[in-house]
Amino acid sequence: MAEPKMKEAQPRSVGHAMIGDTLATPILQCNLLEEIQNLHKEDAWLKDTGPSSKTLVKYPDLRIVLLAMKKNMNMREHKTSARISIQTLAGHIHIKLPDRMVDLPAGQLLALDPCVPHDVEAQEDSALLLTLSWRGMDSETCEADGQK
């Protein structure tokens, strides 16, 4: 009599297929359109309490975060010790820098050095991909304010 074959567990796909159990795996593939749709179902989006966000990739020296912002939503001046890039996937945002305003419609990318203060304002409902990269294995502090 043949042994019954055990059915292999299929990885559960929740917007991105993970190889393993964490966001820090050797291979990670994300469906950004599905992830944006999921962000639009969260309380922060539905109740206008702030941007909806999801960390897609998390390593000690690299983080990738998907954000959804409603029209006229503003993230007041902030900064990070990481070098960052901001890519507008959908919609249109403005990035206010100390010396100028940067227009960032869908398809545009902006890179900033560490510790550059900036505001983010959505000109229309928008989705953006934020990438943070640290020089060392851990985030450092911005010398001007001593905050992490």
Side-chain angles (χ1 to χ4, degrees):
M1 183 172 192
E3 293 273 326
K5 289 187 178 181
M6 302 252 328
K7 195 173 189 179
E8 289 185 30
Q10 296 294 319
R12 198 173 67 117
S13 177
V14 192
H16 58 274
M18 286 196 283
I19 313 296
D21 298 318
T22 70
L23 298 177
T25 61
I27 300 170
L28 181 76
Q29 182 177 355
C30 299
N31 180 332
L32 294 176
L33 296 177
E34 187 175 325
E35 293 290 357
I36 292 168
Q37 289 173 349
N38 290 337
L39 288 179
H40 289 172
K41 296 174 187 171
E42 290 188 359
D43 280 348
W45 179 266
L46 298 172
K47 297 178 180 178
D48 280 334
T49 57
S52 297
S53 66
K54 180 173 184 178
T55 300
L56 302 175
V57 176
K58 187 175 182 180
Y59 294 95
D61 63 342
L62 175 71
R63 197 148 305 148
I64 301 175
V65 181
L66 181 65
L67 294 111
M69 296 177 68
K70 285 208 170 184
K71 181 179 181 175
N72 297 323
M73 186 172 287
N74 193 317
M75 292 181 359
R76 298 277 176 221
E77 185 177 293
H78 56 283
K79 56 186 168 183
T80 177
S81 60
R83 177 167 281 118
I84 67 169
S85 72
I86 304 165
Q87 179 182 2
T88 307
L89 302 173
H92 191 156
I93 63 174
H94 283 166
I95 307 293
K96 182 180 175 191
L97 301 172
D99 62 343
R100 65 183 168 131
M101 181 74 73
V102 178
D103 191 45
L104 219 59
Q108 295 289 306
L109 174 96
L110 175 70
L112 297 176
D113 270 346
C115 301
V116 174
H118 57 282
D119 291 6
V120 181
E121 184 176 352
Q123 302 304 297
E124 55 189 73
D125 289 356
S126 301
L128 49 141
L129 199 59
L130 171 66
T131 303
L132 302 98
S133 176
W134 288 273
R135 291 184 182 122
M137 293 304 287
D138 289 319
S139 60
E140 301 166 8
T141 60
C142 292
E143 290 180 23
D145 62 5
Q147 296 178 354
K148 279 194 174 190

Short mmCIF file of all heavy atoms in Angstrom, two decimals, residues 62-110:
data_model
loop_
_atom_site.label_atom_id
_atom_site.label_comp_id
_atom_site.label_asym_id
_atom_site.label_seq_id
_atom_site.Cartn_x
_atom_site.Cartn_y
_atom_site.Cartn_z
N LEU A 62 19.33 48.77 5.51
CA LEU A 62 18.43 49.12 4.40
C LEU A 62 16.99 48.89 4.80
O LEU A 62 16.64 47.88 5.40
CB LEU A 62 18.74 48.25 3.17
CG LEU A 62 17.80 48.43 1.97
CD1 LEU A 62 18.05 49.78 1.31
CD2 LEU A 62 17.99 47.31 0.97
N ARG A 63 16.16 49.87 4.49
CA ARG A 63 14.73 49.73 4.73
C ARG A 63 13.98 50.29 3.53
O ARG A 63 14.37 51.32 2.98
CB ARG A 63 14.35 50.51 6.00
CG ARG A 63 13.03 50.10 6.54
CD ARG A 63 12.94 50.21 8.04
NE ARG A 63 14.01 49.46 8.67
CZ ARG A 63 14.57 49.80 9.82
NH1 ARG A 63 14.19 50.87 10.46
NH2 ARG A 63 15.52 49.07 10.36
N ILE A 64 12.91 49.61 3.13
CA ILE A 64 12.05 50.09 2.04
C ILE A 64 10.63 50.12 2.58
O ILE A 64 10.11 49.11 3.04
CB ILE A 64 12.15 49.22 0.78
CG1 ILE A 64 13.60 49.18 0.28
CG2 ILE A 64 11.21 49.75 -0.30
CD1 ILE A 64 13.84 48.25 -0.89
N VAL A 65 10.02 51.31 2.52
CA VAL A 65 8.70 51.53 3.09
C VAL A 65 7.78 52.08 2.02
O VAL A 65 8.13 53.03 1.30
CB VAL A 65 8.77 52.52 4.28
CG1 VAL A 65 7.39 52.73 4.90
CG2 VAL A 65 9.77 52.05 5.32
N LEU A 66 6.59 51.50 1.91
CA LEU A 66 5.55 51.99 1.01
C LEU A 66 4.61 52.87 1.83
O LEU A 66 4.17 52.47 2.91
CB LEU A 66 4.80 50.80 0.40
CG LEU A 66 3.70 51.13 -0.58
CD1 LEU A 66 4.26 51.79 -1.84
CD2 LEU A 66 2.94 49.85 -0.96
N LEU A 67 4.31 54.06 1.32
CA LEU A 67 3.41 54.99 2.01
C LEU A 67 2.29 55.41 1.07
O LEU A 67 2.51 55.59 -0.13
CB LEU A 67 4.15 56.25 2.45
CG LEU A 67 5.21 56.07 3.51
CD1 LEU A 67 6.57 56.30 2.91
CD2 LEU A 67 4.98 57.03 4.64
N ALA A 68 1.10 55.59 1.65
CA ALA A 68 -0.03 56.15 0.93
C ALA A 68 -0.48 57.39 1.68
O ALA A 68 -0.67 57.35 2.89
CB ALA A 68 -1.17 55.13 0.83
N MET A 69 -0.61 58.50 0.94
CA MET A 69 -1.02 59.77 1.55
C MET A 69 -2.22 60.33 0.79
O MET A 69 -2.23 60.31 -0.44
CB MET A 69 0.13 60.78 1.49
CG MET A 69 1.35 60.39 2.29
SD MET A 69 2.72 61.58 2.11
CE MET A 69 2.04 63.01 2.96
N LYS A 70 -3.19 60.81 1.54
CA LYS A 70 -4.34 61.45 0.91
C LYS A 70 -4.01 62.89 0.52
O LYS A 70 -3.10 63.51 1.09
CB LYS A 70 -5.54 61.44 1.86
CG LYS A 70 -6.17 60.07 1.95
CD LYS A 70 -7.62 60.20 2.29
CE LYS A 70 -8.26 58.84 2.14
NZ LYS A 70 -9.69 58.92 2.35
N LYS A 71 -4.77 63.40 -0.43
CA LYS A 71 -4.58 64.78 -0.89
C LYS A 71 -4.55 65.74 0.30
O LYS A 71 -5.34 65.63 1.23
CB LYS A 71 -5.72 65.17 -1.84
CG LYS A 71 -5.61 66.56 -2.39
CD LYS A 71 -6.73 66.89 -3.35
CE LYS A 71 -6.55 68.30 -3.89
NZ LYS A 71 -7.56 68.60 -4.91
N ASN A 72 -3.59 66.67 0.26
CA ASN A 72 -3.38 67.71 1.27
C ASN A 72 -2.80 67.19 2.59
O ASN A 72 -2.61 67.98 3.51
CB ASN A 72 -4.64 68.52 1.54
CG ASN A 72 -5.09 69.28 0.32
OD1 ASN A 72 -4.27 69.77 -0.46
ND2 ASN A 72 -6.40 69.34 0.11
N MET A 73 -2.52 65.90 2.69
CA MET A 73 -1.88 65.38 3.89
C MET A 73 -0.44 65.86 3.92
O MET A 73 0.22 65.97 2.89
CB MET A 73 -1.94 63.85 3.90
CG MET A 73 -1.44 63.23 5.19
SD MET A 73 -1.76 61.46 5.21
CE MET A 73 -3.52 61.46 5.47
N ASN A 74 0.05 66.19 5.12
CA ASN A 74 1.39 66.73 5.26
C ASN A 74 2.14 65.99 6.34
O ASN A 74 1.60 65.75 7.42
CB ASN A 74 1.28 68.23 5.62
CG ASN A 74 2.60 68.95 5.48
OD1 ASN A 74 3.65 68.46 5.89
ND2 ASN A 74 2.54 70.14 4.92
N MET A 75 3.37 65.62 6.05
CA MET A 75 4.27 65.10 7.07
C MET A 75 5.25 66.23 7.35
O MET A 75 6.10 66.56 6.52
CB MET A 75 4.99 63.84 6.57
CG MET A 75 4.03 62.69 6.40
SD MET A 75 4.67 61.09 5.84
CE MET A 75 6.37 61.26 5.57
N ARG A 76 5.06 66.86 8.50
CA ARG A 76 5.85 68.05 8.87
C ARG A 76 7.34 67.74 8.91
O ARG A 76 7.74 66.58 8.94
CB ARG A 76 5.39 68.57 10.23
CG ARG A 76 3.95 69.01 10.25
CD ARG A 76 3.83 70.42 9.73
NE ARG A 76 2.42 70.79 9.68
CZ ARG A 76 1.89 71.47 8.70
NH1 ARG A 76 2.62 71.88 7.70
NH2 ARG A 76 0.62 71.78 8.72
N GLU A 77 8.12 68.80 8.95
CA GLU A 77 9.57 68.67 8.86
C GLU A 77 10.13 67.56 9.75
O GLU A 77 9.80 67.46 10.93
CB GLU A 77 10.25 69.99 9.24
CG GLU A 77 11.75 69.93 9.05
CD GLU A 77 12.45 71.25 9.33
OE1 GLU A 77 12.21 72.21 8.56
OE2 GLU A 77 13.20 71.31 10.32
N HIS A 78 10.94 66.74 9.14
CA HIS A 78 11.61 65.64 9.83
C HIS A 78 12.90 65.34 9.09
O HIS A 78 13.15 65.88 8.00
CB HIS A 78 10.70 64.40 9.89
CG HIS A 78 10.23 63.93 8.56
ND1 HIS A 78 9.21 64.55 7.86
CD2 HIS A 78 10.65 62.91 7.77
CE1 HIS A 78 9.02 63.91 6.70
NE2 HIS A 78 9.89 62.93 6.63
N LYS A 79 13.74 64.51 9.68
CA LYS A 79 14.98 64.10 9.02
C LYS A 79 15.39 62.75 9.57
O LYS A 79 14.88 62.30 10.60
CB LYS A 79 16.08 65.14 9.22
CG LYS A 79 16.42 65.48 10.65
CD LYS A 79 17.41 66.62 10.69
CE LYS A 79 17.53 67.17 12.11
NZ LYS A 79 18.43 68.31 12.16
N THR A 80 16.30 62.12 8.88
CA THR A 80 16.79 60.81 9.29
C THR A 80 18.30 60.73 9.07
O THR A 80 18.85 61.44 8.23
CB THR A 80 16.08 59.69 8.51
OG1 THR A 80 16.66 58.43 8.89
CG2 THR A 80 16.22 59.86 7.02
N SER A 81 18.93 59.87 9.83
CA SER A 81 20.37 59.68 9.68
C SER A 81 20.71 58.82 8.47
O SER A 81 21.87 58.62 8.15
CB SER A 81 20.95 59.05 10.95
OG SER A 81 20.35 57.79 11.17
N ALA A 82 19.71 58.34 7.78
CA ALA A 82 19.92 57.51 6.59
C ALA A 82 19.97 58.37 5.33
O ALA A 82 19.37 59.45 5.27
CB ALA A 82 18.79 56.50 6.45
N ARG A 83 20.65 57.89 4.32
CA ARG A 83 20.51 58.44 2.97
C ARG A 83 19.19 57.88 2.46
O ARG A 83 18.90 56.70 2.67
CB ARG A 83 21.67 58.00 2.09
CG ARG A 83 21.55 58.49 0.66
CD ARG A 83 22.85 58.33 -0.11
NE ARG A 83 23.74 59.42 0.26
CZ ARG A 83 24.92 59.27 0.85
NH1 ARG A 83 25.39 58.08 1.14
NH2 ARG A 83 25.67 60.32 1.15
N ILE A 84 18.35 58.71 1.83
CA ILE A 84 17.03 58.24 1.41
C ILE A 84 16.76 58.52 -0.06
O ILE A 84 17.39 59.39 -0.66
CB ILE A 84 15.89 58.87 2.26
CG1 ILE A 84 15.78 60.37 2.00
CG2 ILE A 84 16.08 58.58 3.72
CD1 ILE A 84 14.52 61.01 2.59
N SER A 85 15.83 57.75 -0.60
CA SER A 85 15.25 58.11 -1.88
C SER A 85 13.73 58.06 -1.71
O SER A 85 13.21 57.26 -0.92
CB SER A 85 15.70 57.16 -3.00
OG SER A 85 15.11 55.89 -2.86
N ILE A 86 13.06 58.95 -2.42
CA ILE A 86 11.61 59.02 -2.41
C ILE A 86 11.17 58.92 -3.86
O ILE A 86 11.56 59.75 -4.68
CB ILE A 86 11.10 60.34 -1.79
CG1 ILE A 86 11.65 60.53 -0.38
CG2 ILE A 86 9.57 60.39 -1.82
CD1 ILE A 86 11.49 61.94 0.16
N GLN A 87 10.38 57.90 -4.16
CA GLN A 87 9.89 57.70 -5.52
C GLN A 87 8.37 57.75 -5.49
O GLN A 87 7.75 56.97 -4.76
CB GLN A 87 10.35 56.35 -6.06
CG GLN A 87 9.86 56.08 -7.46
CD GLN A 87 10.30 54.70 -7.96
OE1 GLN A 87 10.94 53.94 -7.26
NE2 GLN A 87 9.94 54.41 -9.19
N THR A 88 7.79 58.65 -6.26
CA THR A 88 6.34 58.74 -6.33
C THR A 88 5.85 57.70 -7.33
O THR A 88 6.19 57.74 -8.51
CB THR A 88 5.90 60.15 -6.77
OG1 THR A 88 6.52 61.12 -5.92
CG2 THR A 88 4.39 60.30 -6.68
N LEU A 89 5.05 56.75 -6.83
CA LEU A 89 4.51 55.69 -7.67
C LEU A 89 3.18 56.09 -8.31
O LEU A 89 2.90 55.72 -9.44
CB LEU A 89 4.31 54.41 -6.85
CG LEU A 89 5.56 53.85 -6.17
CD1 LEU A 89 5.18 52.68 -5.26
CD2 LEU A 89 6.58 53.42 -7.21
N ALA A 90 2.38 56.83 -7.55
CA ALA A 90 1.07 57.29 -8.03
C ALA A 90 0.80 58.63 -7.37
O ALA A 90 1.25 58.90 -6.27
CB ALA A 90 -0.02 56.29 -7.66
N GLY A 91 0.07 59.49 -8.07
CA GLY A 91 -0.27 60.79 -7.52
C GLY A 91 0.82 61.83 -7.72
O GLY A 91 1.56 61.78 -8.72
N HIS A 92 0.95 62.72 -6.75
CA HIS A 92 1.83 63.88 -6.91
C HIS A 92 2.14 64.42 -5.52
O HIS A 92 1.22 64.71 -4.75
CB HIS A 92 1.11 64.93 -7.75
CG HIS A 92 1.97 66.05 -8.20
ND1 HIS A 92 1.66 66.79 -9.32
CD2 HIS A 92 3.11 66.59 -7.72
CE1 HIS A 92 2.58 67.73 -9.50
NE2 HIS A 92 3.47 67.62 -8.53
N ILE A 93 3.42 64.58 -5.19
CA ILE A 93 3.81 65.13 -3.90
C ILE A 93 4.78 66.29 -4.08
O ILE A 93 5.39 66.43 -5.15
CB ILE A 93 4.44 64.06 -2.97
CG1 ILE A 93 5.73 63.49 -3.55
CG2 ILE A 93 3.44 62.96 -2.65
CD1 ILE A 93 6.48 62.56 -2.63
N HIS A 94 4.88 67.11 -3.06
CA HIS A 94 5.89 68.15 -2.98
C HIS A 94 6.79 67.83 -1.79
O HIS A 94 6.30 67.45 -0.73
CB HIS A 94 5.28 69.54 -2.74
CG HIS A 94 4.68 70.14 -3.96
ND1 HIS A 94 3.83 71.23 -3.89
CD2 HIS A 94 4.78 69.84 -5.27
CE1 HIS A 94 3.45 71.57 -5.12
NE2 HIS A 94 4.02 70.72 -5.96
N ILE A 95 8.08 68.03 -1.98
CA ILE A 95 9.06 67.87 -0.90
C ILE A 95 9.64 69.26 -0.64
O ILE A 95 10.23 69.86 -1.52
CB ILE A 95 10.21 66.91 -1.29
CG1 ILE A 95 9.68 65.57 -1.78
CG2 ILE A 95 11.18 66.74 -0.11
CD1 ILE A 95 8.97 64.73 -0.76
N LYS A 96 9.42 69.76 0.58
CA LYS A 96 9.96 71.06 0.94
C LYS A 96 11.31 70.85 1.61
O LYS A 96 11.41 70.19 2.65
CB LYS A 96 9.01 71.79 1.88
CG LYS A 96 9.49 73.17 2.25
CD LYS A 96 8.53 73.86 3.19
CE LYS A 96 9.11 75.19 3.64
NZ LYS A 96 8.34 75.76 4.75
N LEU A 97 12.35 71.40 1.00
CA LEU A 97 13.71 71.35 1.52
C LEU A 97 14.06 72.70 2.12
O LEU A 97 13.34 73.69 1.90
CB LEU A 97 14.68 70.99 0.40
CG LEU A 97 14.42 69.64 -0.28
CD1 LEU A 97 15.32 69.47 -1.50
CD2 LEU A 97 14.61 68.50 0.69
N PRO A 98 15.15 72.80 2.86
CA PRO A 98 15.49 74.09 3.48
C PRO A 98 15.62 75.24 2.48
O PRO A 98 15.27 76.37 2.79
CB PRO A 98 16.84 73.82 4.15
CG PRO A 98 16.84 72.36 4.43
CD PRO A 98 16.08 71.75 3.29
N ASP A 99 16.07 74.95 1.25
CA ASP A 99 16.31 76.03 0.29
C ASP A 99 15.42 76.01 -0.95
O ASP A 99 15.55 76.87 -1.81
CB ASP A 99 17.78 76.01 -0.14
CG ASP A 99 18.17 74.72 -0.85
OD1 ASP A 99 17.43 73.72 -0.73
OD2 ASP A 99 19.21 74.71 -1.52
N ARG A 100 14.52 75.02 -1.05
CA ARG A 100 13.66 74.97 -2.24
C ARG A 100 12.54 73.96 -2.08
O ARG A 100 12.56 73.13 -1.17
CB ARG A 100 14.48 74.64 -3.48
CG ARG A 100 15.10 73.26 -3.46
CD ARG A 100 15.96 73.03 -4.70
NE ARG A 100 16.76 71.85 -4.55
CZ ARG A 100 16.85 70.90 -5.47
NH1 ARG A 100 16.22 71.02 -6.60
NH2 ARG A 100 17.60 69.85 -5.27
N MET A 101 11.60 74.01 -3.01
CA MET A 101 10.49 73.07 -3.09
C MET A 101 10.74 72.16 -4.29
O MET A 101 11.07 72.64 -5.37
CB MET A 101 9.16 73.82 -3.27
CG MET A 101 7.95 72.93 -3.35
SD MET A 101 7.49 72.23 -1.76
CE MET A 101 6.81 73.67 -0.95
N VAL A 102 10.60 70.85 -4.09
CA VAL A 102 10.79 69.89 -5.18
C VAL A 102 9.44 69.31 -5.55
O VAL A 102 8.72 68.78 -4.71
CB VAL A 102 11.76 68.76 -4.77
CG1 VAL A 102 11.91 67.75 -5.89
CG2 VAL A 102 13.12 69.33 -4.38
N ASP A 103 9.10 69.42 -6.83
CA ASP A 103 7.87 68.87 -7.39
C ASP A 103 8.15 67.41 -7.76
O ASP A 103 9.09 67.13 -8.50
CB ASP A 103 7.49 69.70 -8.62
CG ASP A 103 6.11 69.39 -9.13
OD1 ASP A 103 5.18 69.29 -8.30
OD2 ASP A 103 5.96 69.25 -10.36
N LEU A 104 7.36 66.47 -7.25
CA LEU A 104 7.62 65.05 -7.48
C LEU A 104 6.33 64.34 -7.93
O LEU A 104 5.68 63.66 -7.15
CB LEU A 104 8.16 64.43 -6.19
CG LEU A 104 9.26 63.40 -6.30
CD1 LEU A 104 10.50 63.94 -6.99
CD2 LEU A 104 9.63 62.86 -4.94
N PRO A 105 5.97 64.49 -9.21
CA PRO A 105 4.81 63.76 -9.72
C PRO A 105 5.15 62.27 -9.89
O PRO A 105 6.31 61.87 -9.76
CB PRO A 105 4.54 64.43 -11.06
CG PRO A 105 5.86 64.97 -11.49
CD PRO A 105 6.59 65.33 -10.23
N ALA A 106 4.15 61.46 -10.21
CA ALA A 106 4.34 60.02 -10.41
C ALA A 106 5.47 59.77 -11.41
O ALA A 106 5.59 60.47 -12.41
CB ALA A 106 3.05 59.38 -10.90
N GLY A 107 6.31 58.81 -11.08
CA GLY A 107 7.42 58.45 -11.95
C GLY A 107 8.71 59.18 -11.65
O GLY A 107 9.74 58.89 -12.23
N GLN A 108 8.68 60.13 -10.70
CA GLN A 108 9.88 60.90 -10.36
C GLN A 108 10.52 60.35 -9.09
O GLN A 108 9.84 59.80 -8.22
CB GLN A 108 9.52 62.37 -10.15
CG GLN A 108 9.02 63.05 -11.40
CD GLN A 108 10.14 63.26 -12.41
OE1 GLN A 108 11.16 63.83 -12.10
NE2 GLN A 108 9.92 62.77 -13.62
N LEU A 109 11.83 60.56 -8.97
CA LEU A 109 12.62 60.08 -7.84
C LEU A 109 13.48 61.21 -7.31
O LEU A 109 14.02 61.99 -8.09
CB LEU A 109 13.51 58.92 -8.30
CG LEU A 109 14.49 58.39 -7.27
CD1 LEU A 109 13.89 57.19 -6.56
CD2 LEU A 109 15.79 58.00 -7.92
N LEU A 110 13.59 61.29 -6.00
CA LEU A 110 14.45 62.26 -5.34
C LEU A 110 15.33 61.52 -4.35
O LEU A 110 14.85 60.66 -3.61
CB LEU A 110 13.61 63.31 -4.60
CG LEU A 110 14.37 64.34 -3.77
CD1 LEU A 110 15.14 65.30 -4.67
CD2 LEU A 110 13.42 65.09 -2.86
#
